[in-house]
Amino acid sequence: MTQQIPRPPRTEPVPEPELSEVRNFRDVGGLPTTDGRRVKPGKLFRSGHLAHATETDAEFLASLGLHTIFDFRNNADHALEGPDVELPGVRNVNIPLSDPADGKEFWKMVRDGDVEQLRGLLGDGKAADRMANSYRTMIEKRTAEHGRVLHALAEDSVPALMHCAAGKDRAGLSIAVTLLALGVGREAIVVDYLESNAPHRRYRVRRGSDAPEARSPEVMELLSPLFDARAEYLTAAFDAIDGHWGGVDRYLAEGLGLTAETLGRLRDRLLD
């Protein structure tokens, strides 16, 4: 690993760049905590995958002085998109998380499912229910993975970038968990999460055919809940925290194994 050159601290979030092949990038710096502090700019970033980053995209990412990139994709994602580009001096950590995209069968449905199949699998609220259930599952079943990320951030992994495929679900929830640990209010977390709906941020849905019926309004409407950021999905995660642990403090302590000392180090690293 090459030596990183220390950078002066930032006082404003990194301006959003015009990246060609990296979707949904942003700095979460500036978000307020409930005790009057703010997330430090230039310390915590989120995005979609980096597999197709152009040379210019990679140059920008390298300029951030990243210590660690957390990739929450699974083997099916890697087979579909490829590995991340490698940035000099940056540690790449792959921590697969459960996802609405359960693997090959999910992507086959997205790419090749006809309207009848999609109606049966996704219609009548089934798609939105699938998404909310996946968020609950990631909270309840992936405590070891989320705990690992927060312990790493507390120790040495800052500045960090978190991503999955679209930068919306797995990365979005991991960012939300990190922000909860920092003391950011739920409303502010939801506002940041919903920014993934901006047209230039959204995941490009690929269909296996160019025929008009493959991207008909009904087909795209049926697929839409899978690729939307909806407040109800994140609310399902928050409800899982409250229902299973009785609140954020016990979730962090008992679920993620964070001591007061570790939380203190995490907040010192990431808060002004």
Side-chain angles (χ1 to χ4, degrees):
M1 184 178 295
T2 58
Q3 183 78 22
Q4 289 189 346
I5 300 173
R7 299 176 303 136
R10 295 183 183 272
T11 57
E12 297 293 334
V14 172
E16 184 174 337
E18 294 183 10
L19 298 175
S20 299
E21 296 297 336
V22 177
R23 306 287 281 185
N24 209 5
F25 172 89
R26 59 190 179 275
D27 183 352
V28 300
L31 290 177
T33 64
T34 56
D35 64 356
R37 303 175 74 182
R38 288 189 177 271
V39 180
K40 290 179 182 177
K43 297 297 184 182
L44 186 61
F45 304 93
R46 56 182 295 173
S47 75
H49 72 78
L50 312 181
H52 303 156
T54 65
E55 183 176 346
T56 301
D57 295 341
E59 288 176 357
F60 169 79
L61 295 169
S63 76
L64 301 175
L66 297 170
H67 181 286
T68 300
I69 293 172
F70 293 100
D71 177 1
F72 301 122
R73 296 179 299 159
N74 56 33
N75 288 337
D77 297 310
H78 288 164
L80 181 70
E81 297 148 353
D84 283 342
V85 298
E86 293 191 10
L87 303 177
V90 181
R91 180 176 66 174
N92 290 74
V93 177
N94 181 220
I95 304 177
L97 293 176
S98 55
D99 182 53
D102 305 301
K104 292 180 181 178
E105 290 306 311
F106 173 87
W107 289 112
K108 181 174 176 56
M109 173 188 69
V110 169
R111 288 180 58 82
D112 302 322
D114 62 30
V115 68
E116 293 294 335
Q117 180 187 17
L118 296 177
R119 282 177 189 151
L121 293 171
L122 304 176
D124 298 320
K126 294 186 187 74
D129 288 345
R130 175 187 182 130
M131 296 298 297
N133 286 334
S134 76
Y135 276 56
R136 281 190 286 267
T137 298
M138 279 192 279
I139 287 294
E140 294 174 355
K141 305 296 186 185
R142 296 293 184 161
T143 52
E145 289 85 347
H146 286 133
R148 179 182 169 191
V149 170
L150 291 183
H151 279 91
L153 293 175
E155 295 306 324
D156 64 0
S157 298
V158 174
L161 182 148
M162 299 184 189
H163 79 80
C164 48
K168 173 179 74 76
D169 300 315
R170 290 163 288 183
L173 189 53
S174 297
I175 286 286
V177 167
T178 303
L179 295 174
L180 286 174
L182 295 175
V184 176
R186 296 184 185 190
E187 184 176 336
I189 294 172
V190 171
V191 169
D192 171 72
Y193 167 76
L194 292 176
E195 287 189 23
S196 292
N197 286 327
H200 68 289
R201 299 187 194 277
R202 291 179 68 92
Y203 187 80
R204 296 186 180 110
V205 180
R206 297 179 177 87
R207 296 285 282 159
S209 169
D210 293 328
E213 59 268 22
R215 298 185 70 89
S216 71
E218 183 178 1
V219 165
M220 300 313 292
E221 183 178 353
L222 287 164
L223 291 172
S224 181
L226 305 177
F227 298 97
D228 288 346
R230 297 188 179 183
E232 67 197 77
Y233 304 160
L234 208 51
T235 298
F238 295 153
D239 289 346
I241 290 173
D242 294 338
H244 198 91
W245 288 277
V248 171
D249 290 344
R250 282 185 57 197
Y251 167 66
L252 297 173
E254 299 174 13
L256 306 190
L258 296 173
T259 65
E261 291 78 11
T262 301
L263 274 175
R265 288 197 301 274
L266 178 72
R267 290 167 180 169
D268 285 345
R269 285 187 179 276
L270 289 173
L271 296 179
D272 284 330

